[in-house]
Amino acid sequence: MAESITEYRNLIGGRLVAAADGRTLDSVNPATGETWARIPASGRADAEAAVAAAREAFPRWSAMPALGRAALLRKVAEVFAANAEELARIETRDNGRILRDTLKRDLPGMTYLWQIAAGDVIDAVKGDTVILGPDTLGFTRREPYGVVLGIIPWNSPISTFSAKAAYALAAGNTVIIKPAEQACASVLRLGELLAGVLPPGVLNIVSGLGEEAGDALVRHRGVNKISLTGSTQTGQAITRASADALKPLTFELGGKSPNIVFADADLDAAAQGVTVNSVYTGNAGQVCVAGSRILIQRPVWQEMIERVTAIAGGLTLADPLDLATTMGPIVSAGQYERVTGYLEIAEKEGAELVFGGTTGAAVVPSMPGGYWVAPTLYTTTDNSLRVCQEEIFGPVAVAIPFDTDAEALAISNDSSYGLAAGVWTRDLGRAHRFIRDLQSGTVWVNTFRQMPPGLPFGGVKDSGYGHDAVLAYTREKAAIIQT
Ligand code: NAD
């Protein structure tokens, strides 16, 4: 039976509104292939309205005592806690990320993140004092930028929304969020829930296509800072579009993260770490930090391949809204084409198929219209293959053997990306050397995909620069008083 369609609206100036010209985009449930929601297809007029509302709200919001802002951010945290189940279900229906992940991992984390951001308001107003001479006092003031634009992807809308909005608001900025057109219902629902919690115009949410709504916002002279979580190509497009106005940018972009298993590792933990918490479950590999290159030291190569094969074979591909499901679908028809295209590329390039691939089609009989891709593993000794160098963003891993530490490091760093890396070893000295030498924003040792608030999260090389934190949403002014 067809699902009933939910209509979502933008949040602009405290009001829930359709796009100015009434256009909408369909939001498809990727597990069924059916349209389940409609979202505003915003354009230039909506971008104008959102920027005007954010600019109007800025003077009062930035002048509010820091503890007043903190009290309101704590109220937002309460909204997350009170509506966790509903928000998690909306996000799972919208992007296919399994409910186990959205409900048990993301939502509790978000309540915590907004509480932490509320505590961070003090850091945002702290400055330095420099005594320059007996009659000369120097000091710094931290000031918000003004209007911050947060552009977020479809794979974890609630958490990327929170990472940007919470810290930018804590620092005294007003915010416009542009969620991704493929999946933004959870963020638009948050707009409904937060409309009466934050003063009008302090938080605005404008959905629509990247090249239309996103581009109009990026180019707007009334936007003072941009933070993007998305692909490297979009980061490059935004850099070009914002160059004339010299806007400060923060970019959290793509990755091709290595997960390195040494022969001395706890192989039980490593096998779980390179599969379930990385490239297969959770979001079917549609995770920026997915450990899509699994490097395995030769003495344990065979054993690890067998363990990974057994774990992948035990995954349950089914309705992501079912808590027993361990892997969901690919987010959209477009992304499905891209991922399955890479399976063909891998096989043409000569990567050896272990499981999945073009011949291992995933079948979920109760949901035949969904965008299902089977967990897939290839092996190769050639890290220059496209499937080793390009971000696939699906449940596709490539295993690469190595002998020495130097070889593992060289293969890991032979990538245009540098977002994250995993190291599985019992050798503490080696762990420290890899933490030092890996070209990567985060290095996990004997764990994977932990991203707690309080530690920076961002990349190097084509994976971006900067990260979402309260100080990233402030700039420093110097003052000198001569008496
Ligand atoms: P995307 O870059 O296509 O889209 C991201 C956002 O940018 C969307 O809201 C989109 O509408 C907008 N956008 C696209 N073109 C634009 C333009 N010209 N101007 C303004 N906005 C524009 O990425 P995606 O497909 O939504 O998400 C997948 C990508 O995001 C992957 O590369 C993944 O690695 C990355 N990602 C990174 C992180 C991280 O923290 N590093 C986290 C999640 C996802």
Side-chain angles (χ1 to χ4, degrees):
M1 205 179 70
E3 298 179 71
S4 63
I5 308 280
T6 310
E7 305 271 350
Y8 288 100
R9 287 172 293 165
N10 289 330
L11 174 64
I12 297 180
R15 293 191 313 122
L16 298 166
V17 289
D21 60 9
R23 283 182 303 139
T24 59
L25 295 166
D26 287 348
S27 218
V28 172
N29 176 342
T32 61
E34 287 175 13
T35 296
W36 78 278
R38 287 208 181 85
I39 61 167
S42 310
R44 189 162 305 279
D46 307 290
E48 287 287 347
V51 175
R55 295 206 75 76
E56 196 184 330
F58 177 70
R60 280 188 78 174
W61 180 250
S62 56
M64 183 185 277
L67 292 178
R69 285 202 300 274
L72 286 174
L73 298 188
R74 265 187 225 103
K75 283 202 172 144
V76 176
E78 284 165 20
V79 168
F80 272 88
N83 298 279
E85 172 106 27
E86 184 200 347
L87 289 166
R89 285 184 175 277
I90 291 175
E91 186 149 310
T92 290
R93 172 170 292 189
D94 208 28
N95 73 358
R97 181 176 187 146
I98 56 175
L99 191 63
R100 263 194 200 197
D101 232 40
T102 52
L103 183 61
K104 307 275 183 212
R105 180 189 163 103
D106 274 22
L107 264 303
M110 289 314 103
T111 304
Y112 182 51
L113 187 149
W114 281 86
Q115 285 164 345
I116 293 210
D120 282 351
V121 293
I122 296 301
D123 284 341
V125 292
K126 253 190 204 158
D128 292 323
T129 306
V130 183
I131 310 292
L132 294 165
D135 302 314
T136 317
L137 172 68
F139 66 94
T140 61
R141 278 173 58 89
R142 283 199 174 270
E143 298 179 347
Y145 280 99
V147 175
V148 167
L149 170 61
I151 303 183
I152 62 173
W154 44 261
N155 62 339
S156 45
I158 287 179
S159 56
T160 40
F161 163 87
S162 296
K164 297 191 191 312
Y167 296 123
L169 292 172
N173 302 278
T174 52
V175 171
I176 302 170
I177 295 289
K178 209 303 279 173
E181 52 272 34
Q182 297 87 345
C184 62
S186 53
V187 169
L188 293 172
R189 174 66 183 132
L190 264 170
E192 294 171 5
L193 293 168
L194 296 178
V197 175
L198 293 168
V202 164
L203 171 70
N204 306 275
I205 303 172
V206 178
S207 74
L209 297 174
E211 59 270 25
E212 192 179 12
D215 186 66
L217 287 162
V218 164
R219 289 177 191 274
H220 201 296
R221 287 272 173 175
V223 167
N224 306 107
K225 159 141 188 148
I226 303 170
S227 175
L228 163 77
T229 297
S231 63
T232 303
Q233 292 71 17
T234 300
Q236 290 160 337
I238 288 175
T239 305
R240 284 189 284 267
S242 65
D244 285 349
L246 287 177
K247 295 188 188 186
L249 305 171
T250 295
F251 284 155
E252 298 191 357
L253 308 175
K256 194 75 196 177
S257 300
N259 219 339
I260 313 165
V261 182
F262 285 93
D264 71 343
D266 172 343
L267 295 189
D268 275 340
Q272 290 292 327
V274 302
T275 52
V276 297
N277 210 13
S278 172
V279 78
Y280 296 138
T281 64
N283 207 358
Q286 301 163 105
V287 181
C288 53
V289 296
S292 49
R293 293 185 297 155
I294 307 175
L295 277 56
I296 305 172
Q297 205 165 20
R298 280 192 203 272
V300 293
W301 170 263
Q302 199 51 42
E303 182 170 354
M304 275 299 293
I305 296 290
E306 282 164 17
R307 283 172 181 259
V308 168
T309 306
I311 291 171
L315 297 177
T316 308
L317 274 70
D319 187 348
L321 283 164
D322 186 336
L323 276 174
T325 298
T326 50
M327 201 176 107
I330 298 297
V331 71
S332 64
Q335 196 65 20
Y336 176 85
E337 292 302 322
R338 178 188 154 92
V339 173
T340 51
Y342 270 108
L343 304 181
E344 280 162 27
I345 290 169
E347 291 165 30
K348 264 199 208 112
E349 282 184 311
E352 298 267 341
L353 179 65
V354 183
F355 54 79
T358 55
T359 49
V363 182
V364 177
S366 59
M367 304 185 121
Y371 310 125
W372 302 99
V373 174
T376 293
L377 181 68
Y378 294 105
T379 64
T380 183
T381 54
D382 183 358
N383 186 53
S384 72
L385 297 189
R386 284 183 64 190
V387 285
C388 296
Q389 292 292 329
E390 296 174 20
E391 185 180 46
I392 299 174
F393 227 55
V396 183
V398 187
I400 307 170
F402 69 90
D403 288 304
T404 63
D405 289 34
E407 205 186 337
L409 186 66
I411 297 170
S412 297
N413 286 343
D414 173 22
S415 170
S416 61
Y417 291 110
L419 188 59
V423 181
W424 300 85
T425 182
R426 289 190 167 100
D427 180 335
L428 196 55
R430 171 188 280 147
H432 278 287
R433 284 191 298 280
F434 272 77
I435 290 170
R436 183 191 63 203
D437 294 338
L438 281 164
Q439 296 163 356
S440 175
T442 297
V443 179
W444 289 293
V445 177
N446 299 328
T447 182
F448 204 80
R449 211 179 142 212
Q450 286 197 38
M451 292 177 257
L455 277 173
F457 177 73
V460 298
K461 303 201 277 189
D462 285 357
S463 296
Y465 49 80
H467 63 275
D468 292 318
V470 77
L471 295 187
Y473 291 105
T474 65
R475 60 182 158 210
E476 281 186 294
K477 178 185 278 177
I480 299 169
I481 302 179
Q482 184 71 53
T483 54

